[in-house]
Amino acid sequence: MSGRTGLVGRLRQRGREVVSAMRSDIASVVERDPAARKPLEVALLYPGVHAVWAHRLSHAMWHKGAYFPARALSQATRFWTNIEIHPAAELGPRLFIDHGAGVVIGETAEVGADVTLYHGVTLGGTSLSHGKRHPTIGDRVTVGAGAKILGGLTVGADSRIGANAVLVRSVEDHSVVVGVPGQVIAHGTAPVADTRPKQDSPTAPDPMGLAVSTLMVRVQQLEAHVMGEEHHTHTHGPHRTPSGEWELDADAIDYVI
């Protein structure tokens, strides 16, 4: 009788842990998604949340050696949510998969706490060999829509991966990555308590635009140096106006053509 009582106690404890984790997932979505109105709406209507919950079950089955049922559950979840997560992947707490369509997380991927993935994200592999071949994503990382992170690399904590970027090498903590292949264009500051992804605004800087503008300024300076002009205000190409904008004159267009 004591053994049965102990089993019931363990099951109740496990049940409380599962419910606590589910509540934490819902609260993290409400915190990070302005479109989320009520916890009940998140629990019933968010496929990203359903995919994470189903993964926890398939992950437990995988580690018990029930490989076929685990894969069957993950494939059924893929059918219903359009999110594919291998049962062996390690997912941290409060993962938020926003929208979710087309998200793929490979077998040896590891995802930290409070990570945000947008639709179309792939945590994929580049090798056919066994072993670690999928990315490790640090805590509080945000990965933009359509981004591809490929190989057994590491993305440092508090980093931001831009939409449609293709990252194939490790980056340090607080990195901002854009482009194909992904390039680090900035480093952020130390982590803060607010784990929500930064929202776009009309006044927010455009990382790619800043990078291109910086390159164009450098080219203009080099052209001025080569031509021996101390104040180079006009070139056969793009030049910066006093207002800070870039323009191309008609004669410059003829020159380029």
Side-chain angles (χ1 to χ4, degrees):
M1 177 66 85
S2 61
R4 183 177 180 181
T5 302
L7 176 60
V8 172
R10 289 193 297 272
L11 289 175
R12 287 178 176 174
Q13 177 61 28
R14 180 55 180 165
R16 286 192 289 268
E17 292 174 355
V18 170
V19 171
S20 176
M22 294 174 70
R23 287 177 175 172
S24 180
D25 292 332
I26 294 173
S28 70
V29 173
V30 172
E31 176 187 7
R32 285 183 270 176
D33 184 6
R37 293 176 175 81
K38 296 181 179 180
L40 182 62
E41 176 186 0
V42 173
L44 297 179
L45 303 178
Y46 273 58
V49 173
H50 303 158
V52 170
W53 289 349
H55 171 76
R56 291 194 181 132
L57 178 57
S58 66
H59 186 67
M61 295 165 64
W62 184 270
H63 281 281
K64 293 293 185 181
Y67 301 124
F68 185 84
R71 289 302 301 271
L73 176 57
S74 70
Q75 291 303 301
T77 304
R78 175 190 179 188
F79 176 80
W80 287 108
T81 66
N82 200 20
I83 299 170
E84 181 173 355
I85 308 175
H86 194 283
E90 300 283 347
L91 304 185
R94 298 175 298 279
L95 168 64
F96 177 29
I97 303 177
D98 196 4
H99 301 293
V103 169
V104 177
I105 301 177
E107 178 183 10
T108 61
E110 301 174 54
V111 180
D114 298 300
V115 170
T116 301
L117 306 179
Y118 289 94
H119 55 281
V121 167
T122 298
L123 306 183
T126 57
S127 171
L128 299 179
S129 62
H130 296 286
K132 178 65 172 173
R133 60 188 189 279
H134 296 94
T136 297
I137 309 299
D139 296 342
R140 298 173 298 278
V141 170
T142 299
V143 185
K148 309 295 184 287
I149 305 177
L150 307 175
L153 55 85
T154 299
V155 177
D158 300 284
S159 294
R160 301 180 67 195
I161 311 302
N164 294 316
V166 178
L167 184 61
V168 293
R169 62 183 180 88
S170 296
V171 296
E172 299 178 354
D173 296 353
H174 321 304
S175 298
V176 178
V177 178
V178 299
V180 182
Q183 301 293 324
V184 177
I185 62 168
H187 290 279
T189 58
V192 294
D194 187 2
T195 61
R196 294 174 296 179
K198 294 180 176 62
Q199 302 298 323
D200 292 333
S201 70
T203 59
D206 175 10
M208 185 62 75
L210 289 175
V212 173
S213 179
T214 300
L215 288 174
M216 294 179 73
V217 168
R218 182 58 177 160
V219 169
Q220 189 181 39
Q221 292 172 345
L222 290 172
E223 287 182 347
H225 178 73
V226 170
M227 298 178 66
E229 298 178 16
E230 184 175 357
H231 298 287
H232 187 63
T233 59
H234 182 78
T235 67
H236 290 297
H239 59 277
R240 203 167 195 172
T241 66
S243 64
E245 298 181 351
W246 291 92
E247 66 179 23
L248 196 65
D249 292 342
D251 58 343
I253 295 175
D254 295 336
Y255 173 81
V256 173
I257 295 175

